[in-house]
Amino acid sequence: MKKNKVLLVILLFPFFGFSQGPSESMKDSVEVLYKKYFELKKSTDSIQKSSASLVELQQNLDNFKQIVTENNRLIGEFRDDKFHTAQQQFTFRKNKIVNTSEFVYVANVSLNAIRQFDATATYLSRISALNNPSNTDLGFSLTEEVNTILKKNIIKGGKKINGASSDKFMSFMNNIIESPITEGFTSAVPVVGAIRSVIDIVIGTAVQGKDVNLQDVTRLKEDLKVYIEHYEGLAVAQEKFDQNLSNLSIRTNALTELLNTYTIERINTLSPNTINSKDTLGLTTLINKHYTAKEVQEKIEAVTRSNPTAYESHLVNHRLFYPDYALNQAKFIRDEVESLREQYILTFRAYQKSLEGVLNKSRNIGDEKEINKIISDLNRRLVIVEKNFNESVNVEGVNLKFRQLSTY
């Protein structure tokens, strides 16, 4: 605006300097001057607009150069990131493949410990001794108790029974008690079978002669009943314990088979056709021969040796493929190992509780102090069993290897 006023003053200066002319002439001169002014102003505005456009264009050009420069930088970073991402992904893949072999190794060790665990021997042998008719750990011997009951109810001080020597009769009965028949339906409770055999013989004697009557047999059966209940209780606890162990054994064998299949699949992926369906190698031998961490690392290096940095190619190489479900399978194996460990411990504890129940019910036929001692001893042995079992199975080691596997 200021420039426009200056321009107008310059244009009008000549006019005001020669103002003596006629008025009509002045009017024409003013019109001409205004016309020239507007033409000049239009020209000036155009120049200014052009100048502004040039400045704007220059700014746009500078911005474009900056954008191009930034895009080139981002493209470079993208290429670098893509390279590094592929490298990182391959590193993760390789670590997962190697860590799987280590996971399989510790899982197999744990399953072997579960299948072959023998630290329970002293605990179970201590319980087994209680079924021995001559054992006196509870404050009584079944053989002696049966002798006492027979002498009281059947022999009654006589030297003969139905014409046979009472000593011979007692010897015969002792032989049945101390060497019970272990075949047929009584095999699960041989001692109870022996007691029942004694009763049957006495009944037969009562039928064949007059020295033993019905009341004698009734008293005999009543006196022996508590011992039958005691040994039946032990037998029932043992039978339930054996059944639980059998069920756990089935689960353990199934898990071993799953781990075997899992291992073969991982081996054949890395080295196709290494293991076929006709191979009968045990899992431990299979791992030692084909699936140690060192062996796996060497196989990976053999696959990538020709072009170590071709990470994108390595990621799509079928020999280095690692399916998502393989990690889920590993998790299932880990969970099952831990579950089996817990179930074995619970089975032993349930057995211990059943035994204590039987022993507590038998306090009236045994020595309470000795029974308490046996219960305490069994509890102490069970603690050792659990400790040794946990250390052998080593679930913590399996969990550690699984965490390392699932990190990548």
Side-chain angles (χ1 to χ4, degrees):
M1 187 63 184
K2 186 177 181 181
K3 288 182 180 181
N4 293 338
K5 289 181 178 180
V6 172
L7 179 61
L8 182 60
V9 171
I10 293 173
L11 291 173
L12 292 177
F13 180 76
F15 171 76
F16 288 112
F18 302 96
S19 60
Q20 293 84 1
S23 59
E24 189 65 32
S25 177
M26 182 188 302
K27 181 179 178 181
D28 293 340
S29 297
V30 170
E31 289 178 355
V32 171
L33 288 173
Y34 267 102
K35 183 178 181 181
K36 290 183 178 180
Y37 165 74
F38 284 114
E39 288 177 352
L40 182 59
K41 184 176 182 300
K42 184 178 180 181
S43 176
T44 302
D45 289 344
S46 178
I47 292 173
Q48 289 176 342
K49 289 180 180 179
S50 299
S51 178
S53 297
L54 287 173
V55 171
E56 183 179 359
L57 181 61
Q58 182 63 46
Q59 290 176 344
N60 290 339
L61 180 61
D62 291 341
N63 290 337
F64 178 74
K65 288 180 179 179
Q66 291 178 359
I67 291 172
V68 170
T69 301
E70 179 66 14
N71 284 344
N72 287 336
R73 184 184 67 80
L74 292 175
I75 290 171
E77 288 183 356
F78 175 76
R79 287 173 178 170
D80 290 342
D81 286 345
K82 186 177 181 182
F83 176 81
H84 291 308
T85 298
Q87 181 183 24
Q88 187 180 50
Q89 288 179 349
F90 176 66
T91 299
F92 287 168
R93 175 81 60 80
K94 182 171 63 175
N95 288 338
K96 196 179 291 292
I97 293 172
V98 174
N99 287 338
T100 298
S101 67
E102 295 182 345
F103 169 78
V104 165
Y105 175 81
V106 296
N108 181 56
V109 170
S110 294
L111 286 174
N112 283 338
I114 291 174
R115 286 199 309 272
Q116 302 172 5
F117 185 61
D118 60 1
T120 61
T122 56
Y123 173 78
L124 297 179
S125 65
R126 189 73 180 88
I127 296 170
S128 179
L130 299 178
N131 287 294
N132 186 337
S134 300
N135 182 274
T136 59
D137 290 344
L138 299 179
F140 71 88
S141 161
L142 179 62
T143 303
E144 293 178 358
E145 293 298 313
V146 171
N147 267 272
T148 300
I149 293 171
L150 285 172
K151 289 177 180 179
K152 181 183 71 171
N153 296 313
I154 306 302
I155 303 299
K156 294 182 286 188
K159 294 184 179 181
K160 292 182 179 293
I161 297 179
N162 293 347
S165 168
S166 57
D167 290 339
K168 183 178 181 180
F169 177 82
M170 291 299 302
S171 297
F172 183 66
M173 293 298 188
N174 288 337
N175 181 266
I176 292 176
I177 294 295
E178 294 179 358
S179 303
I181 298 173
T182 57
E183 297 179 358
F185 76 96
T186 62
S187 60
V189 198
V191 176
V192 172
I195 296 175
R196 294 189 185 281
S197 295
V198 168
I199 295 174
D200 289 342
I201 291 172
V202 171
I203 292 174
T205 302
V207 171
Q208 296 174 7
K210 59 181 181 178
D211 292 339
V212 180
N213 57 43
L214 180 59
Q215 289 74 19
D216 296 334
V217 173
T218 300
R219 285 192 295 269
L220 174 69
K221 291 170 67 176
E222 190 65 31
D223 288 344
L224 291 177
K225 180 180 177 181
V226 291
Y227 297 97
I228 291 176
E229 291 176 348
H230 171 78
Y231 287 102
E232 279 185 339
L234 292 178
V236 168
Q238 180 71 46
E239 183 179 7
K240 188 173 182 180
F241 176 67
D242 290 343
Q243 183 60 53
N244 288 335
L245 288 183
S246 178
N247 293 337
L248 289 174
S249 179
I250 292 172
R251 281 182 59 186
T252 302
N253 291 336
L255 184 58
T256 301
E257 185 61 31
L258 174 62
L259 182 60
N260 186 74
T261 302
Y262 178 77
T263 304
I264 291 175
E265 183 176 345
R266 302 275 62 79
I267 292 172
N268 283 341
T269 297
L270 189 56
S271 301
N273 303 317
T274 299
I275 310 298
N276 59 57
S277 58
K278 295 181 180 180
D279 288 327
T280 58
L281 295 176
L283 182 55
T284 300
T285 302
L286 187 68
I287 293 171
N288 291 337
K289 188 174 181 180
H290 299 288
Y291 205 55
T292 63
K294 181 176 182 295
E295 179 81 9
V296 170
Q297 287 174 332
E298 290 175 352
K299 289 178 179 178
I300 293 175
E301 290 173 2
V303 173
T304 61
R305 186 175 295 122
S306 61
N307 196 350
T309 59
Y311 302 118
E312 292 183 6
S313 297
H314 299 332
L315 287 172
V316 296
N317 190 316
H318 67 278
R319 293 182 62 182
L320 301 176
F321 178 62
Y322 193 91
D324 292 336
Y325 66 79
L327 186 60
N328 293 331
Q329 288 176 322
K331 182 180 184 302
F332 177 80
I333 293 169
R334 187 280 307 268
D335 292 345
E336 270 295 277
V337 168
E338 187 164 7
S339 176
L340 282 168
R341 189 275 304 267
E342 292 174 355
Q343 289 302 315
Y344 268 95
I345 295 299
L346 289 176
T347 296
F348 274 96
R349 289 177 180 175
Y351 187 35
Q352 174 76 16
K353 185 176 181 180
S354 296
L355 290 172
E356 288 184 17
V358 173
L359 296 178
N360 284 326
K361 286 180 64 176
S362 299
R363 291 182 183 277
N364 59 324
I365 60 173
D367 185 295
E368 186 167 356
K369 183 178 179 181
E370 293 300 322
I371 289 175
N372 289 336
K373 186 186 297 184
I374 290 295
I375 292 175
S376 177
D377 183 52
L378 289 176
N379 280 319
R380 179 184 63 81
R381 291 174 187 269
L382 182 58
V383 170
I384 296 174
V385 166
E386 290 188 15
K387 179 181 177 182
N388 291 342
F389 188 73
N390 285 330
E391 289 180 354
S392 298
V393 177
N394 189 22
V395 168
E396 290 73 18
V398 178
N399 280 327
L400 174 62
K401 291 302 178 182
F402 178 75
R403 285 196 298 271
Q404 292 174 347
L405 170 61
S406 57
T407 298
Y408 299 99

